[in-house]
Amino acid sequence: MTEMDAIHRSRAQARAGLQEALGEIKRVIVGQDAMLERVLVSLLAGGHVLLEGVPGLAKTLTLKTLAAVLGGSFGRIQFTPDLVPADLVGTRIWRPDTGRFDTELGPVFHNFVLADEINRAPAKVQSALLEVMQERQVTIGGTTYQVPHPFIVMATQNPIESEGTYPLPEAQVDRFLMKILVDYPTPGEEAAVVGRSLQPTVSVRECLSLEDLERHSHATASIAADRNVIAYAVALADATRHPQDHGLAELAPLIEFGASPRGPIGLVQAARALALLRGRSHVTGEDIRDLARDVLRHRIVLSYDALSEGVTVDSLLERILAAVPAPGAGLISAAAG
């Protein structure tokens, strides 16, 4: 078997395994297909997810089910104003019976961590979590502990409540690969949810091991990203910083700060994972477009004028996506496949 044959086989196995896992999750979760796909994409790309939606949209259940299907450990942290960083990362505890300190590791030491209502905790606690997300390690009492691998944080925030909340600073929100807006299910999907609630709880089976997931993540690295596709991702990010250079001068007064370089980096990485899920060996402009809102929306800071006029980030991104030309088909050479 040639090296190229081995790569093709690895991609096929990865797609088949991931689609099987996705199907198993959908036995429990109804009507959130886009969210499920993007959570898997983030996991393959090694990024974290910020979910925004009202309570009751299966955000917690999604991550618990994902952990069960992938065989990883699950931890949930309910953020409240009285939390301290030690409640997340752990601390040293004095044991009188042994006459020494023992280290108790916190709930971030799981493969899948749900940070529920992250905006309800003060800045010091938010910073502690975001530091773990970035460094993937914790230092307690001079000793460094690595978090398990893989490691994904899915943080949630409720958009309809502002009392007693501490909004995440823009520089910290930038650490999330995606911000996904979770909407209500359709009436048909909601009827299916109600119907399932009348039945015994569905038990899911483990479809992939963490070792399988690690192998599939390596398969993502073999997905080709043509320089024209990369240029498209960079152009979308640049249009959020200098809209006048892309024929969108009217947007300049509405944007205080555009997307950071983490934007196009994350966009291309996520697009490679999405291409793998969709059974292709290369990234297309469609992959970039499909993920652009989720990867860029939390990296744009609106101006006061935009806020006063009720302009939303998504409406600006719609105009940017319409104005910035996408690369044509066939930009990936046959050798890349």
PDB file of all heavy atoms in Angstrom, residues 2-27:
ATOM      1  N   THR A   2       0.620   2.155  -0.937  1.00  0.00           N
ATOM      2  CA  THR A   2       1.398   3.385  -1.015  1.00  0.00           C
ATOM      3  C   THR A   2       0.978   4.340   0.100  1.00  0.00           C
ATOM      4  O   THR A   2      -0.048   4.162   0.758  1.00  0.00           O
ATOM      5  CB  THR A   2       1.181   4.072  -2.370  1.00  0.00           C
ATOM      6  OG1 THR A   2      -0.195   4.503  -2.449  1.00  0.00           O
ATOM      7  CG2 THR A   2       1.479   3.133  -3.522  1.00  0.00           C
ATOM      8  N   GLU A   3       1.813   5.373   0.296  1.00  0.00           N
ATOM      9  CA  GLU A   3       1.503   6.365   1.330  1.00  0.00           C
ATOM     10  C   GLU A   3       0.189   7.080   1.037  1.00  0.00           C
ATOM     11  O   GLU A   3      -0.610   7.340   1.943  1.00  0.00           O
ATOM     12  CB  GLU A   3       2.649   7.373   1.427  1.00  0.00           C
ATOM     13  CG  GLU A   3       2.439   8.421   2.520  1.00  0.00           C
ATOM     14  CD  GLU A   3       3.580   9.408   2.597  1.00  0.00           C
ATOM     15  OE1 GLU A   3       4.585   9.222   1.874  1.00  0.00           O
ATOM     16  OE2 GLU A   3       3.463  10.368   3.372  1.00  0.00           O
ATOM     17  N   MET A   4      -0.068   7.375  -0.247  1.00  0.00           N
ATOM     18  CA  MET A   4      -1.311   8.048  -0.616  1.00  0.00           C
ATOM     19  C   MET A   4      -2.512   7.156  -0.357  1.00  0.00           C
ATOM     20  O   MET A   4      -3.561   7.623   0.107  1.00  0.00           O
ATOM     21  CB  MET A   4      -1.264   8.463  -2.098  1.00  0.00           C
ATOM     22  CG  MET A   4      -2.434   9.345  -2.515  1.00  0.00           C
ATOM     23  SD  MET A   4      -2.545  10.872  -1.543  1.00  0.00           S
ATOM     24  CE  MET A   4      -1.049  11.696  -2.084  1.00  0.00           C
ATOM     25  N   ASP A   5      -2.383   5.859  -0.636  1.00  0.00           N
ATOM     26  CA  ASP A   5      -3.474   4.926  -0.346  1.00  0.00           C
ATOM     27  C   ASP A   5      -3.764   4.888   1.149  1.00  0.00           C
ATOM     28  O   ASP A   5      -4.927   4.821   1.562  1.00  0.00           O
ATOM     29  CB  ASP A   5      -3.115   3.523  -0.854  1.00  0.00           C
ATOM     30  CG  ASP A   5      -3.122   3.424  -2.373  1.00  0.00           C
ATOM     31  OD1 ASP A   5      -3.819   4.251  -3.001  1.00  0.00           O
ATOM     32  OD2 ASP A   5      -2.419   2.545  -2.910  1.00  0.00           O
ATOM     33  N   ALA A   6      -2.713   4.919   1.953  1.00  0.00           N
ATOM     34  CA  ALA A   6      -2.879   4.898   3.410  1.00  0.00           C
ATOM     35  C   ALA A   6      -3.606   6.143   3.891  1.00  0.00           C
ATOM     36  O   ALA A   6      -4.462   6.092   4.781  1.00  0.00           O
ATOM     37  CB  ALA A   6      -1.518   4.769   4.091  1.00  0.00           C
ATOM     38  N   ILE A   7      -3.285   7.285   3.280  1.00  0.00           N
ATOM     39  CA  ILE A   7      -3.949   8.539   3.650  1.00  0.00           C
ATOM     40  C   ILE A   7      -5.426   8.482   3.285  1.00  0.00           C
ATOM     41  O   ILE A   7      -6.293   8.870   4.079  1.00  0.00           O
ATOM     42  CB  ILE A   7      -3.257   9.736   2.969  1.00  0.00           C
ATOM     43  CG1 ILE A   7      -1.860   9.949   3.544  1.00  0.00           C
ATOM     44  CG2 ILE A   7      -4.092  11.005   3.129  1.00  0.00           C
ATOM     45  CD1 ILE A   7      -1.053  11.030   2.837  1.00  0.00           C
ATOM     46  N   HIS A   8      -5.733   7.999   2.081  1.00  0.00           N
ATOM     47  CA  HIS A   8      -7.137   7.886   1.650  1.00  0.00           C
ATOM     48  C   HIS A   8      -7.905   6.946   2.579  1.00  0.00           C
ATOM     49  O   HIS A   8      -9.055   7.221   2.948  1.00  0.00           O
ATOM     50  CB  HIS A   8      -7.210   7.377   0.206  1.00  0.00           C
ATOM     51  CG  HIS A   8      -6.894   8.412  -0.815  1.00  0.00           C
ATOM     52  ND1 HIS A   8      -7.551   9.618  -0.886  1.00  0.00           N
ATOM     53  CD2 HIS A   8      -5.974   8.432  -1.827  1.00  0.00           C
ATOM     54  CE1 HIS A   8      -7.063  10.333  -1.888  1.00  0.00           C
ATOM     55  NE2 HIS A   8      -6.101   9.630  -2.468  1.00  0.00           N
ATOM     56  N   ARG A   9      -7.279   5.856   2.942  1.00  0.00           N
ATOM     57  CA  ARG A   9      -7.937   4.891   3.833  1.00  0.00           C
ATOM     58  C   ARG A   9      -8.175   5.509   5.205  1.00  0.00           C
ATOM     59  O   ARG A   9      -9.238   5.319   5.801  1.00  0.00           O
ATOM     60  CB  ARG A   9      -7.074   3.643   3.952  1.00  0.00           C
ATOM     61  CG  ARG A   9      -7.687   2.558   4.835  1.00  0.00           C
ATOM     62  CD  ARG A   9      -6.822   1.322   4.866  1.00  0.00           C
ATOM     63  NE  ARG A   9      -7.415   0.303   5.729  1.00  0.00           N
ATOM     64  CZ  ARG A   9      -6.857  -0.874   5.959  1.00  0.00           C
ATOM     65  NH1 ARG A   9      -5.697  -1.184   5.392  1.00  0.00           N
ATOM     66  NH2 ARG A   9      -7.452  -1.733   6.754  1.00  0.00           N
ATOM     67  N   SER A  10      -7.197   6.266   5.697  1.00  0.00           N
ATOM     68  CA  SER A  10      -7.341   6.922   7.006  1.00  0.00           C
ATOM     69  C   SER A  10      -8.495   7.916   6.986  1.00  0.00           C
ATOM     70  O   SER A  10      -9.288   7.986   7.926  1.00  0.00           O
ATOM     71  CB  SER A  10      -6.034   7.629   7.366  1.00  0.00           C
ATOM     72  OG  SER A  10      -6.169   8.382   8.542  1.00  0.00           O
ATOM     73  N   ARG A  11      -8.604   8.684   5.887  1.00  0.00           N
ATOM     74  CA  ARG A  11      -9.709   9.643   5.772  1.00  0.00           C
ATOM     75  C   ARG A  11     -11.055   8.934   5.738  1.00  0.00           C
ATOM     76  O   ARG A  11     -12.019   9.373   6.377  1.00  0.00           O
ATOM     77  CB  ARG A  11      -9.534  10.484   4.514  1.00  0.00           C
ATOM     78  CG  ARG A  11      -8.378  11.467   4.538  1.00  0.00           C
ATOM     79  CD  ARG A  11      -8.216  12.076   3.164  1.00  0.00           C
ATOM     80  NE  ARG A  11      -7.068  12.956   3.076  1.00  0.00           N
ATOM     81  CZ  ARG A  11      -6.498  13.318   1.923  1.00  0.00           C
ATOM     82  NH1 ARG A  11      -6.995  12.865   0.775  1.00  0.00           N
ATOM     83  NH2 ARG A  11      -5.456  14.124   1.925  1.00  0.00           N
ATOM     84  N   ALA A  12     -11.132   7.852   4.976  1.00  0.00           N
ATOM     85  CA  ALA A  12     -12.399   7.118   4.865  1.00  0.00           C
ATOM     86  C   ALA A  12     -12.805   6.531   6.213  1.00  0.00           C
ATOM     87  O   ALA A  12     -13.982   6.585   6.590  1.00  0.00           O
ATOM     88  CB  ALA A  12     -12.268   6.019   3.818  1.00  0.00           C
ATOM     89  N   GLN A  13     -11.859   5.976   6.937  1.00  0.00           N
ATOM     90  CA  GLN A  13     -12.156   5.419   8.251  1.00  0.00           C
ATOM     91  C   GLN A  13     -12.597   6.514   9.210  1.00  0.00           C
ATOM     92  O   GLN A  13     -13.528   6.323  10.004  1.00  0.00           O
ATOM     93  CB  GLN A  13     -10.929   4.684   8.797  1.00  0.00           C
ATOM     94  CG  GLN A  13     -10.595   3.394   8.077  1.00  0.00           C
ATOM     95  CD  GLN A  13      -9.317   2.764   8.594  1.00  0.00           C
ATOM     96  OE1 GLN A  13      -8.484   3.422   9.229  1.00  0.00           O
ATOM     97  NE2 GLN A  13      -9.149   1.466   8.328  1.00  0.00           N
ATOM     98  N   ALA A  14     -11.926   7.664   9.140  1.00  0.00           N
ATOM     99  CA  ALA A  14     -12.275   8.780  10.019  1.00  0.00           C
ATOM    100  C   ALA A  14     -13.697   9.257   9.748  1.00  0.00           C
ATOM    101  O   ALA A  14     -14.494   9.439  10.675  1.00  0.00           O
ATOM    102  CB  ALA A  14     -11.281   9.933   9.835  1.00  0.00           C
ATOM    103  N   ARG A  15     -14.032   9.436   8.478  1.00  0.00           N
ATOM    104  CA  ARG A  15     -15.377   9.913   8.145  1.00  0.00           C
ATOM    105  C   ARG A  15     -16.439   8.908   8.569  1.00  0.00           C
ATOM    106  O   ARG A  15     -17.466   9.283   9.153  1.00  0.00           O
ATOM    107  CB  ARG A  15     -15.484  10.179   6.643  1.00  0.00           C
ATOM    108  CG  ARG A  15     -16.856  10.732   6.246  1.00  0.00           C
ATOM    109  CD  ARG A  15     -16.887  11.155   4.795  1.00  0.00           C
ATOM    110  NE  ARG A  15     -18.163  11.779   4.489  1.00  0.00           N
ATOM    111  CZ  ARG A  15     -19.234  11.128   4.020  1.00  0.00           C
ATOM    112  NH1 ARG A  15     -19.169   9.809   3.828  1.00  0.00           N
ATOM    113  NH2 ARG A  15     -20.356  11.768   3.766  1.00  0.00           N
ATOM    114  N   ALA A  16     -16.191   7.620   8.318  1.00  0.00           N
ATOM    115  CA  ALA A  16     -17.169   6.597   8.684  1.00  0.00           C
ATOM    116  C   ALA A  16     -17.368   6.553  10.199  1.00  0.00           C
ATOM    117  O   ALA A  16     -18.503   6.485  10.686  1.00  0.00           O
ATOM    118  CB  ALA A  16     -16.714   5.233   8.171  1.00  0.00           C
ATOM    119  N   GLY A  17     -16.275   6.612  10.945  1.00  0.00           N
ATOM    120  CA  GLY A  17     -16.377   6.569  12.403  1.00  0.00           C
ATOM    121  C   GLY A  17     -17.068   7.794  12.966  1.00  0.00           C
ATOM    122  O   GLY A  17     -17.903   7.692  13.875  1.00  0.00           O
ATOM    123  N   LEU A  18     -16.742   8.973  12.433  1.00  0.00           N
ATOM    124  CA  LEU A  18     -17.349  10.208  12.930  1.00  0.00           C
ATOM    125  C   LEU A  18     -18.833  10.289  12.578  1.00  0.00           C
ATOM    126  O   LEU A  18     -19.640  10.761  13.375  1.00  0.00           O
ATOM    127  CB  LEU A  18     -16.596  11.412  12.353  1.00  0.00           C
ATOM    128  CG  LEU A  18     -15.164  11.584  12.864  1.00  0.00           C
ATOM    129  CD1 LEU A  18     -14.398  12.580  11.998  1.00  0.00           C
ATOM    130  CD2 LEU A  18     -15.159  12.030  14.324  1.00  0.00           C
ATOM    131  N   GLN A  19     -19.196   9.833  11.384  1.00  0.00           N
ATOM    132  CA  GLN A  19     -20.611   9.837  10.998  1.00  0.00           C
ATOM    133  C   GLN A  19     -21.408   8.861  11.870  1.00  0.00           C
ATOM    134  O   GLN A  19     -22.560   9.136  12.233  1.00  0.00           O
ATOM    135  CB  GLN A  19     -20.761   9.467   9.519  1.00  0.00           C
ATOM    136  CG  GLN A  19     -20.266  10.538   8.554  1.00  0.00           C
ATOM    137  CD  GLN A  19     -21.094  11.812   8.605  1.00  0.00           C
ATOM    138  OE1 GLN A  19     -22.199  11.830   9.111  1.00  0.00           O
ATOM    139  NE2 GLN A  19     -20.547  12.892   8.076  1.00  0.00           N
ATOM    140  N   GLU A  20     -20.795   7.728  12.210  1.00  0.00           N
ATOM    141  CA  GLU A  20     -21.463   6.784  13.104  1.00  0.00           C
ATOM    142  C   GLU A  20     -21.680   7.399  14.481  1.00  0.00           C
ATOM    143  O   GLU A  20     -22.759   7.273  15.072  1.00  0.00           O
ATOM    144  CB  GLU A  20     -20.635   5.507  13.232  1.00  0.00           C
ATOM    145  CG  GLU A  20     -21.291   4.442  14.104  1.00  0.00           C
ATOM    146  CD  GLU A  20     -20.427   3.213  14.289  1.00  0.00           C
ATOM    147  OE1 GLU A  20     -19.273   3.216  13.814  1.00  0.00           O
ATOM    148  OE2 GLU A  20     -20.894   2.246  14.933  1.00  0.00           O
ATOM    149  N   ALA A  21     -20.658   8.103  14.985  1.00  0.00           N
ATOM    150  CA  ALA A  21     -20.786   8.769  16.284  1.00  0.00           C
ATOM    151  C   ALA A  21     -21.855   9.853  16.234  1.00  0.00           C
ATOM    152  O   ALA A  21     -22.667  10.007  17.159  1.00  0.00           O
ATOM    153  CB  ALA A  21     -19.445   9.362  16.699  1.00  0.00           C
ATOM    154  N   LEU A  22     -21.879  10.604  15.131  1.00  0.00           N
ATOM    155  CA  LEU A  22     -22.876  11.662  14.980  1.00  0.00           C
ATOM    156  C   LEU A  22     -24.282  11.078  14.946  1.00  0.00           C
ATOM    157  O   LEU A  22     -25.215  11.613  15.566  1.00  0.00           O
ATOM    158  CB  LEU A  22     -22.588  12.444  13.694  1.00  0.00           C
ATOM    159  CG  LEU A  22     -23.261  13.807  13.513  1.00  0.00           C
ATOM    160  CD1 LEU A  22     -22.909  14.745  14.658  1.00  0.00           C
ATOM    161  CD2 LEU A  22     -22.846  14.431  12.186  1.00  0.00           C
ATOM    162  N   GLY A  23     -24.451   9.960  14.260  1.00  0.00           N
ATOM    163  CA  GLY A  23     -25.755   9.310  14.209  1.00  0.00           C
ATOM    164  C   GLY A  23     -26.199   8.816  15.572  1.00  0.00           C
ATOM    165  O   GLY A  23     -27.388   8.894  15.913  1.00  0.00           O
ATOM    166  N   GLU A  24     -25.253   8.324  16.360  1.00  0.00           N
ATOM    167  CA  GLU A  24     -25.584   7.842  17.702  1.00  0.00           C
ATOM    168  C   GLU A  24     -26.017   9.005  18.601  1.00  0.00           C
ATOM    169  O   GLU A  24     -26.972   8.882  19.373  1.00  0.00           O
ATOM    170  CB  GLU A  24     -24.376   7.131  18.308  1.00  0.00           C
ATOM    171  CG  GLU A  24     -24.656   6.391  19.604  1.00  0.00           C
ATOM    172  CD  GLU A  24     -25.546   5.168  19.423  1.00  0.00           C
ATOM    173  OE1 GLU A  24     -25.763   4.743  18.270  1.00  0.00           O
ATOM    174  OE2 GLU A  24     -26.025   4.636  20.451  1.00  0.00           O
ATOM    175  N   ILE A  25     -25.342  10.141  18.485  1.00  0.00           N
ATOM    176  CA  ILE A  25     -25.718  11.318  19.270  1.00  0.00           C
ATOM    177  C   ILE A  25     -27.117  11.801  18.891  1.00  0.00           C
ATOM    178  O   ILE A  25     -27.908  12.214  19.746  1.00  0.00           O
ATOM    179  CB  ILE A  25     -24.681  12.440  19.074  1.00  0.00           C
ATOM    180  CG1 ILE A  25     -23.314  12.017  19.612  1.00  0.00           C
ATOM    181  CG2 ILE A  25     -25.133  13.721  19.786  1.00  0.00           C
ATOM    182  CD1 ILE A  25     -22.196  12.969  19.272  1.00  0.00           C
ATOM    183  N   LYS A  26     -27.451  11.722  17.595  1.00  0.00           N
ATOM    184  CA  LYS A  26     -28.761  12.185  17.127  1.00  0.00           C
ATOM    185  C   LYS A  26     -29.902  11.292  17.606  1.00  0.00           C
ATOM    186  O   LYS A  26     -31.067  11.672  17.502  1.00  0.00           O
ATOM    187  CB  LYS A  26     -28.768  12.272  15.602  1.00  0.00           C
ATOM    188  CG  LYS A  26     -27.932  13.424  15.056  1.00  0.00           C
ATOM    189  CD  LYS A  26     -27.960  13.465  13.535  1.00  0.00           C
ATOM    190  CE  LYS A  26     -27.111  14.601  12.995  1.00  0.00           C
ATOM    191  NZ  LYS A  26     -27.109  14.647  11.515  1.00  0.00           N
ATOM    192  N   ARG A  27     -29.584  10.108  18.132  1.00  0.00           N
ATOM    193  CA  ARG A  27     -30.623   9.286  18.744  1.00  0.00           C
ATOM    194  C   ARG A  27     -31.155   9.932  20.019  1.00  0.00           C
ATOM    195  O   ARG A  27     -32.256   9.637  20.464  1.00  0.00           O
ATOM    196  CB  ARG A  27     -30.081   7.894  19.070  1.00  0.00           C
ATOM    197  CG  ARG A  27     -29.733   7.054  17.840  1.00  0.00           C
ATOM    198  CD  ARG A  27     -29.203   5.692  18.242  1.00  0.00           C
ATOM    199  NE  ARG A  27     -30.182   4.994  19.078  1.00  0.00           N
ATOM    200  CZ  ARG A  27     -29.884   4.385  20.230  1.00  0.00           C
ATOM    201  NH1 ARG A  27     -28.654   4.402  20.694  1.00  0.00           N
ATOM    202  NH2 ARG A  27     -30.822   3.764  20.914  1.00  0.00           N
TER     203      ARG A  27
END
